[in-house]
Amino acid sequence: MSASSKMQKEKESTTSAAAVPAWLSQILQDKAPGPKIYRWTPDDVAGSSGAAPQRKKRAPADTNRIFIVGMGNLGRLFAASLARLPDQPPITLVVHRPGLLEQWRAQPGVVLHPQGYVEGAASSKDVRIADFDIEMWSETPPPPPPLQDAAAAGDAEIPPIANLIIATKAQDALRTAEWVRRYLAPDAAVAFAQNGMNKLWPPYGALYNEARYADRKRPPLWLACIVTHGVYSVGPFASVHAAPADVVLGSVDGSISSSSGPGGNEAYLVQQILAASQLKARWAPRHELWVLQLEKLVVNAVINPLTAILRCKNGALFVADDALNSAVLPRVIDQLLQEASAVLRALAQHEIQTGSIFADAASTVEAEADASAALAERLSFASLRAMVYRVGELVKDNSSSMFQDAQAGKKTEVGEFNGWIVDMARYLESVGATDGKTLDVAAHQIMVDLVEKAVPLTQEELGTHFFSRSVRLDL
Ligand SMILES: NC(=O)c1ccc[n+]([C@@H]2O[C@H](COP(=O)([O-])OP(=O)(O)OC[C@H]3O[C@@H](n4cnc5c(N)ncnc54)[C@H](OP(=O)(O)O)[C@@H]3O)[C@@H](O)[C@H]2O)c1
């Protein structure tokens, strides 16, 4: 079956099975064009001194301008890396709090400390990059400029967006793309940089595109970046690039040739990301990107919630330092992995048989059988377990972002990681992809509940949520 007929079939099966998740059904009901959004510059905020705002000209609407929304760790990594390109593209950093514009006004610049900073071997002087425009985007217009500055102030509505990097947390990513939809240019490229599965993968991407972009020749080019760099924050606009690694970039969208990458105007953002040497990015075909994102999801769905619940560093999950630890944690990890493996294998099987992701990769029945067997092996419990323990060893000295968010009382990404696995199990059952069987995802649901409760637990307390009392007494 051709890729396009598989995409059509995918769309039909999603709609007919009534397996539309809440986030998508809300979008399907909302036919509005998207809100008007205005840009505030540092000159639009009075500052702590109370000085009157001075209005300078807003950044021009170049088609090669790259907007980065979300100026946290990955936003800073992408900004600093793109700014170091020999032919630096114009870049606008987009924030959502006026305080950040004030902070920028007081001390402009993004700081990405090198790895050596951790050992005190680098100074921040060498790494501050201020060659950016910065804006806060808001549905409230900025205050009108003083009369004499009105002509110079330019249009306060945001310009058309041709190149967008969304570097928010996973739960804010699609919401951000939705929010700015009115401004996405006809050949826009949008790169998502989150952990977790991108929401625009099958089975929902085609439905989303049809709901939002049916009136266009084509939807924006949706790109996903799988980022393995480790970056942590040391203040506003300042992070440490503690663990340089790489980025795998590819298209979530089935409508472009996935092995060679996109052509046309939308290729510009891809070229810039690939050329930014600090990112160490490479292009991956769609099916490879999908599997890599699934594997990263599994790592995140094991390490992040457990470290958040137990409030411990990553390495503490994998050391058998006492009898209790050796009994409880490996069993919890194994249960999470068994469940994840069953769901991902069912999903992969379903995708190979009915979906579009492998249509290019496996065009014959034999190739399809080979791909199916290889994928089943890659997503087996044993392979996933070996991968999680391998990664756990590599990142043993780090604190996961979910642990840090839990400690800071912030919302976590658990709904996008473990919650996604639970939702996917229900989706697969609803479309008849599990031979009538129920996929057990109880352990992932427990992770979601415990992380959202935000009460730290000991390992023994964690065990009580998983194992019956008689089993616990045997430990
Ligand atoms: N850090 C890493 O080493 C790393 C590595 C690989 C993958 N990741 C993944 O990458 C994603 C981002 O991680 P991160 O560490 O960069 O998170 P982060 O430091 O929390 O950055 C996210 C930023 O987005 C901002 N934001 C949220 N909504 C926004 C909006 N509507 N407009 C503008 N800004 C908005 C947040 O601001 P407020 O906090 O003020 O709301 C925050 O500054 C996550 O999915 C993470 O799992 C991170």
Side-chain angles (χ1 to χ4, degrees), residues 458-473:
T458 63
Q459 290 165 30
E460 189 178 18
E461 287 165 341
L462 175 70
T464 64
H465 290 270
F466 278 83
F467 313 118
S468 69
R469 189 170 161 73
S470 60
V471 176
R472 273 187 294 122
L473 292 176

Side-chain angles (χ1 to χ4, degrees), residues 224-242:
C225 301
I226 302 174
V227 179
T228 49
H229 292 271
V231 188
Y232 68 86
S233 180
V234 284
F237 302 112
S239 286
V240 180
H241 192 185

Side-chain angles (χ1 to χ4, degrees), residues 8 43 50 79-80 111 159 169 260 265-266 278 396 411 449:
Q8 182 57 33
D43 296 320
V111 175
K169 284 280 169 71
S260 54
N265 284 352
E266 67 268 23
Q278 195 173 15
K396 64 181 177 197
K411 185 163 171 41
D449 296 343

